[in-house]
Amino acid sequence: MDTNPQAQQGPDDGFLDTCLFFTANRLGRAITRMAEEEFAPTGLTPMYGYVIRLVNGSPGISQKELASKLSIAPSTLTRFIDKLEIRRLAERRVDGKTVRVYPTPKGLELGDTIVEASRSLRVRYEELLGPEMARKLSEDLKTASGTLE
Amino acid sequence: MDTNPQAQQGPDDGFLDTCLFFTANRLGRAITRMAEEEFAPTGLTPMYGYVIRLVNGSPGISQKELASKLSIAPSTLTRFIDKLEIRRLAERRVDGKTVRVYPTPKGLELGDTIVEASRSLRVRYEELLGPEMARKLSEDLKTASGTLE
DNA sequence: TTTCATATATTGTATGTACAACTAAAATTA
DNA sequence: TAATTTTAGTTGTACATACAATATATGAAA
């Protein structure tokens, strides 16, 4: 039991729940935890899974395009591809000043498992939020980041 | 409206925009960038600013409560408070097995600047999203993380 | 053709965040 | 009261992510 009279609601707590920075990142942390659990069978964290999915679906895609689709910094993607290459899950080929990324047999093999993990993740959060709320929320989040970027 | 299902997209890109893990984190990255800019005058990143605001508003709040209000792991908060203490922006006092955190003069002084930065941030994203959309989105995000946690 | 400007990617460095293992203190129970 | 369990916090370690500085390759201009 909590005997602190201010435990439930401090004098000035409301700002957190109405700040988009805070609420967006809080949801990000919560769903990342969930996504990491569902992606455990792939042996990858969700972002790596999505990189592989993009590469398998667009062999030879450039790193620039990948970073843009994923909305991450190019340097972040460099590190991702480094690790995927070490594990033979994707392969770089230099093409002038761009670097193209290609699937590997091992990466292609993982495709179904990744799709399955994405599906489990969706099922799981749709059960909690309701499919319609989940869909609407993703859509609003997409619109909002498009507007803010 | 876009009638071509593959316009501006590779063969299998749609999964990103309908995945709540991805859309939530993408918005998180976008608004974090914006928040860091607006908080620059405070000399703090936004999360540190919010820790100070909570501590100033509830002197003696325990780390457990702080972590809970911020929805971050206790270990993360330990690191935050370490750094705030080094900069004399907050102060720990051990109280049995809990640790209470108190404001310092320097931390209290920063209060107004932090509130002002939060306000600028809000103004900025409301200009882009519209106040109603911004409000609704924060609310939905709050509800969703409450449900998923 | 040499030089300059631009685009792409990488590297160095720093921060936010978490989990697992550990320590210390309090609460419970025997 | 001694032993056990629970709770709060810290530390070691690891990963995602970004920015600034740098390298390399292409394209443009002289």
Side-chain angles (χ1 to χ4, degrees):
Chain A
M1 174 92 76
D2 207 331
T3 52
N4 177 347
Q6 294 188 344
Q8 289 293 78
Q9 199 73 351
D12 182 22
D13 285 7
F15 68 91
L16 289 174
D17 284 340
T18 63
C19 174
L20 193 57
F21 157 77
F22 181 73
T23 56
N25 281 299
R26 176 171 53 186
L27 180 63
R29 290 190 293 275
I31 194 143
T32 295
R33 221 174 298 128
M34 186 178 284
E36 281 168 355
E37 287 172 21
E38 297 303 326
F39 272 69
T42 68
L44 300 165
T45 51
M47 280 297 272
Y48 284 84
Y50 286 165
V51 173
I52 293 189
R53 219 170 140 177
L54 288 173
V55 170
N56 287 352
S58 302
I61 188 172
S62 72
Q63 288 195 186
K64 183 183 165 64
E65 282 173 286
L66 273 174
S68 154
K69 281 186 200 297
L70 293 166
S71 299
I72 56 176
S75 59
T76 304
L77 188 68
T78 293
R79 265 75 194 236
F80 283 5
I81 305 293
D82 287 349
K83 288 182 189 157
L84 290 177
E85 257 195 328
I86 286 170
R87 297 177 56 182
R88 307 264 185 273
L89 291 169
E91 191 184 301
R92 280 186 175 97
R93 290 185 213 156
V94 177
D95 171 16
K97 72 185 162 188
T98 86
V99 173
R100 304 196 170 280
V101 187
Y102 291 86
T104 59
K106 233 179 122 189
L108 289 167
E109 239 174 56
L110 255 185
D112 289 348
T113 312
I114 294 169
V115 170
E116 190 46 50
S118 311
R119 200 169 294 145
S120 307
L121 172 60
R122 178 182 312 276
V123 166
R124 186 162 160 196
Y125 67 69
E126 282 184 347
E127 259 168 22
L128 292 164
L129 301 175
E132 183 45 33
M133 174 64 173
R135 196 201 55 74
K136 183 67 165 51
L137 191 50
S138 294
E139 188 179 298
D140 289 347
L141 289 169
K142 177 198 166 202
T143 305
S145 52
T147 305
L148 297 190
E149 261 162 17
Chain B
M1 187 171 55
D2 189 354
T3 51
N4 176 353
Q6 294 191 353
Q8 302 182 258
Q9 296 209 337
D12 183 23
D13 285 8
F15 68 92
L16 289 174
D17 285 339
T18 62
C19 174
L20 193 58
F21 157 77
F22 181 73
T23 56
N25 281 299
R26 176 170 55 185
L27 180 64
R29 290 190 292 275
I31 194 141
T32 295
R33 220 173 297 128
M34 185 178 284
E36 282 170 354
E37 287 172 23
E38 298 302 326
F39 272 69
T42 67
L44 299 166
T45 52
M47 281 297 271
Y48 285 84
Y50 285 165
V51 174
I52 293 188
R53 217 170 143 179
L54 289 173
V55 171
N56 287 352
S58 303
I61 188 172
S62 72
Q63 289 195 187
K64 183 183 165 64
E65 283 173 285
L66 273 174
S68 154
K69 281 186 201 298
L70 293 165
S71 300
I72 56 177
S75 59
T76 303
L77 187 68
T78 293
R79 265 77 193 233
F80 283 6
I81 304 293
D82 287 350
K83 289 183 189 154
L84 290 177
E85 257 195 327
I86 287 171
R87 296 177 57 181
R88 307 266 184 271
L89 292 169
E91 192 182 301
R92 278 186 175 99
R93 289 185 214 155
V94 175
D95 172 17
K97 74 183 164 190
T98 86
V99 174
R100 302 197 171 278
V101 187
Y102 292 85
T104 60
K106 232 179 122 189
L108 289 167
E109 240 174 55
L110 255 185
D112 290 347
T113 313
I114 294 169
V115 170
E116 190 46 50
S118 312
R119 200 171 292 145
S120 306
L121 172 60
R122 180 182 311 276
V123 166
R124 185 162 160 197
Y125 67 68
E126 282 184 348
E127 261 169 20
L128 291 164
L129 300 175
E132 183 45 33
M133 175 63 173
R135 195 201 55 73
K136 182 66 164 52
L137 192 49
S138 294
E139 188 181 297
D140 288 347
L141 288 168
K142 177 197 165 202
T143 305
S145 52
T147 306
L148 296 190
E149 262 161 15

